[in-house]
Amino acid sequence: MSLLKNERAIIMSMWDKMASQAEAIGTETLERLFSSYPQTKTYFPHFDLHHGSQQLRAHGSKILAAVGDAVKNIDNLASAMTKLSELHAYILRVDPVNFKLLSHCLLVTLAARFPAEFTPEVHEAWDKFLSILSSVLTEKYR
Amino acid sequence: MVHLTDAEKALVSGLWGKVNADAVGAEALGRLMVVYPWTQRFFEHFGDLSSASAVMSNAQVKAHGKKVIHSFADGLKHLDNLKGTFSSLSELHCDKLHVDPENFRLLGNMIIIVLSHDLGKDFTPSAQAAFQKVVAGVANALAHKYH
């Protein structure tokens, strides 16, 4: 699966709208993840997961910043994301199933915050992009 | 069996009352076919599905989305007995329609995204969590009679 030209354009244009709300989007995504899929909290026993916690906001920011990096390097994801890929494979070892859950929660957040922009075409492009990004991040698992 | 708290049941029925179910059904089925084009395999007789706009404006997609969401809405009234409620539909989807149950999960998540799109801020993380339980329960009920 690789992105088509028009999908790349859609992804970058949507990111431009997301960038200024990156922390809020990232935080909301995580809150949705932990509410809908409580088992994902097992990766964060050391975190204060209450609504509005500083750790939640910082981590949400971090995740969205990484998504932003991926968008900026959309033509060479595998090499641009090498460090993160290694981090997830050797240190974090988050079970691959969780990437789908996080991606879904990000899409739900985008749908809620950008009703006009989140058309079926944008939805498709971002679902595909997040799926490809997830593959890159789990590439070195074994 | 889905286990919703009273608060979750209230969230679900309250929010469901705010949306146009027919529109949710049409939009969810349309988005399913746009985001996951391989799901079109069940709908080759629907005519033009060649682009996102073709899918979303297709009359048969809208009609079928309406049909599907009416069954879903029926499920919302019988959360304590989803398996019973969807028993014959489950047999139909296995024996006659030959639909992989994975598609029920995909459609369930599309319904969630459309609800989020329609409700915005009102579709809080807690609301989503309640609806995720519902769509998972419906998907499992529809898969229950497979053999």
Side-chain angles (χ1 to χ4, degrees):
Chain A
M1 243 196 322
S2 56
L3 293 167
L4 306 172
K5 236 193 203 158
N6 71 308
E7 288 170 337
R8 274 167 227 240
I10 287 173
I11 289 159
M12 296 193 293
S13 155
M14 186 66 199
W15 174 255
D16 283 341
K17 302 183 175 81
M18 290 161 63
S20 58
Q21 297 180 39
E23 182 185 284
I25 292 169
T27 307
E28 185 179 326
T29 296
L30 285 175
E31 286 182 346
R32 290 183 180 282
L33 182 72
F34 297 138
S35 294
S36 284
Y37 309 106
Q39 69 274 18
T40 56
K41 294 189 287 186
T42 55
Y43 292 98
F44 300 94
H46 53 300
F47 262 39
D48 167 13
L49 295 177
H50 290 102
H51 174 72
S53 98
Q54 168 58 17
Q55 283 180 306
L56 210 49
R57 283 189 284 127
H59 201 64
S61 276
K62 206 182 222 182
I63 291 177
L64 255 280
V67 171
D69 283 344
V71 173
K72 286 182 200 84
N73 291 283
I74 204 163
D75 290 326
N76 61 324
L77 271 182
S79 45
M81 310 305 286
T82 297
K83 276 222 174 80
L84 258 188
S85 192
E86 286 168 359
L87 180 73
H88 283 80
Y90 307 132
I91 316 287
L92 302 177
R93 292 173 292 186
V94 171
D95 191 289
V97 74
N98 295 289
F99 291 92
K100 270 194 180 167
L101 303 181
L102 182 67
S103 299
H104 172 65
C105 290
L106 175 53
L107 293 175
V108 173
T109 301
L110 294 182
R113 286 175 174 260
F114 302 98
E117 293 87 344
F118 198 69
T119 61
E121 291 92 333
V122 171
H123 179 174
E124 188 273 340
W126 269 82
D127 186 295
K128 189 172 171 181
F129 172 57
L130 292 174
S131 173
I132 292 170
L133 181 54
S134 300
S135 293
V136 167
L137 290 176
T138 54
E139 200 169 54
K140 299 175 194 245
Y141 269 40
R142 56 177 168 172
Chain B
M1 256 229 68
V2 275
H3 296 285
L4 270 71
T5 62
D6 288 342
E8 286 174 324
K9 285 180 186 170
L11 264 177
V12 167
S13 50
L15 290 174
W16 190 253
K18 285 187 171 174
V19 301
N20 175 338
D22 290 351
V24 169
E27 185 79 13
L29 186 63
R31 281 181 186 253
L32 180 75
M33 293 196 225
V34 170
V35 178
Y36 309 115
W38 54 93
T39 58
Q40 293 173 21
R41 71 192 296 286
F42 302 107
F43 305 105
E44 273 157 10
H45 52 297
F46 272 20
D48 187 7
L49 299 174
S50 59
S51 67
S53 49
V55 170
M56 301 312 290
S57 59
N58 183 304
Q60 287 185 282
V61 171
K62 290 184 190 177
H64 197 66
K66 193 173 162 180
K67 197 184 208 180
V68 167
I69 212 75
H70 280 205
S71 296
F72 181 78
D74 199 37
L76 291 180
K77 298 193 198 111
H78 300 97
L79 291 176
D80 293 333
N81 182 24
L82 288 176
K83 293 196 165 106
T85 303
F86 288 102
S87 176
S88 28
L89 269 178
S90 181
E91 287 171 0
L92 178 77
H93 281 77
C94 174
D95 299 333
K96 298 272 156 37
L97 304 177
H98 311 294
V99 175
D100 181 344
E102 178 59 23
N103 292 287
F104 307 142
R105 290 169 191 108
L106 292 179
L107 182 61
N109 276 342
M110 286 297 119
I111 291 173
I112 297 275
I113 287 181
V114 171
L115 286 174
S116 182
H117 192 236
D118 287 356
L119 295 165
K121 276 207 182 98
D122 287 350
F123 199 66
T124 60
S126 306
Q128 179 188 348
F131 271 100
Q132 296 283 174
K133 285 187 186 181
V134 173
V135 301
V138 171
N140 288 339
L142 279 170
H144 189 66
K145 284 293 181 65
Y146 273 58
H147 59 98

